[in-house]
Amino acid sequence: MLPSTIAIDGPAASGKSTIGAAVAEKLGYLYFDTGVMYRAVTCVALFRSIPIENENAVTALAENAQIDFLKPTANDGRQYTILADGKDITWDIRSRAVDANVSLVSAYAGVRRAMTQQQRRIGLQGRVVMVGRDIGTVVLPEADLKIYLDASEEERARRRHRERVARGEPVEFEVVRQEIRKRDQIDSSRAVAPLKQADDAIYLDSTGQDVPDVIVRVMQLIDAQRRK
Ligand code: CDP
């Protein structure tokens, strides 16, 4: 049967969002990037000058903030539009300040509880490609198809560095590499829902593969499942 819930997890900049969006479009499924939710909470906390170390305040924000996810409202390469308190924060959630703080925010148990609940509700409706760190392990352990998308640290840093430079944010490659390493380290070692491959996930290494190649491989996995 065609898998209805597809979970794609993996480390920073492994290509989850590019691949996830493309596969969802091919299938006519909803594409849901869960990282956006953690990024949006982090972004709003920074805007409101809430100290990131203040777990209670950040958790309260995650539970109460008015964050809306819309279809793209501008044709500037965005996959969606994110509004917080009515303000468009679609690109702000990709800032280096958010990158530097999001793993602290996403390690808070209360923040995860609030986010996971919403994600699970949407995931259970089916016909969805959900990408993140803990989709196959915690959010949707019953997903029909689980993929763990990886690439070497060097390659992931190169991709993220290229993205930043293309957005007009000059930054040294080595700095990007260190940032990615640090985020992966926090994400993999946190107590609640750490980044790890689910036992029944299929491991895909995209090192040295371009986007169309990886999309083909994922579509082959979906097709193989359909024929079962
Ligand atoms: O795009 P990139 O791979 O750099 O990151 P992302 O998927 O946007 O996720 C940003 C951060 O959110 C991660 O580094 C995690 O700290 C957190 N996250 C999480 O804890 N659980 C998820 N399901 C998704 C993201």
Side-chain angles (χ1 to χ4, degrees), residues 198-216:
D199 292 338
D200 51 351
I202 297 163
Y203 182 85
L204 275 191
D205 183 357
S206 70
T207 310
Q209 298 217 315
D210 57 17
V211 169
D213 293 341
V214 183
I215 294 172
V216 167

Side-chain angles (χ1 to χ4, degrees), residues 72-224:
T73 54
N75 189 8
D76 57 2
R78 62 181 65 194
Q79 291 179 324
Y80 32 68
T81 290
I82 317 289
L83 300 181
D85 304 325
K87 178 178 162 14
D88 186 340
I89 60 163
T90 310
W91 291 115
D92 298 292
I93 67 164
R94 303 282 159 200
S95 71
R96 287 184 67 199
V98 170
D99 263 27
N101 288 287
V102 65
S103 288
L104 301 175
V105 169
S106 74
Y108 292 147
V111 171
R112 299 207 72 82
R113 205 175 308 122
M115 303 289 109
T116 303
Q117 241 171 30
Q118 297 181 46
Q119 293 162 7
R120 195 165 159 69
R121 188 169 36 78
I122 293 167
L124 287 176
Q125 294 171 8
R127 295 180 60 83
V128 64
V129 177
M130 197 171 276
V131 312
R133 300 289 186 288
D134 60 340
I135 311 306
T137 52
V138 174
V139 177
L140 290 173
E142 64 275 82
D144 300 322
L145 176 64
K146 300 181 187 179
I147 293 169
Y148 189 87
L149 186 61
D150 205 356
S152 71
E153 183 186 273
E154 172 92 13
E155 171 130 355
R156 293 185 289 111
R158 246 197 323 270
R159 292 176 187 167
R160 189 52 42 97
H161 181 250
R162 210 184 304 129
E163 270 170 32
R164 292 222 178 283
V165 171
R167 277 215 306 272
E169 295 170 23
V171 55
E172 286 193 25
F173 172 75
E174 204 44 47
V175 172
V176 176
R177 196 220 291 257
Q178 290 302 332
E179 287 171 355
I180 282 191
R181 182 175 296 168
K182 178 150 182 234
R183 196 144 58 87
D184 284 348
Q185 199 259 326
I186 303 176
D187 290 345
S188 315
S189 60
R190 68 184 173 221
V192 193
L195 164 67
K196 75 169 199 282
Q197 183 180 346
D199 292 338
D200 51 351
I202 297 163
Y203 182 85
L204 275 191
D205 183 357
S206 70
T207 310
Q209 298 217 315
D210 57 17
V211 169
D213 293 341
V214 183
I215 294 172
V216 167
R217 284 173 73 196
V218 172
M219 292 309 291
Q220 283 168 347
L221 293 175
I222 292 168
D223 200 45

Side-chain angles (χ1 to χ4, degrees), residues 44-51:
V44 175
L46 292 171
F47 276 151
R48 294 193 191 166
S49 304
I50 295 172

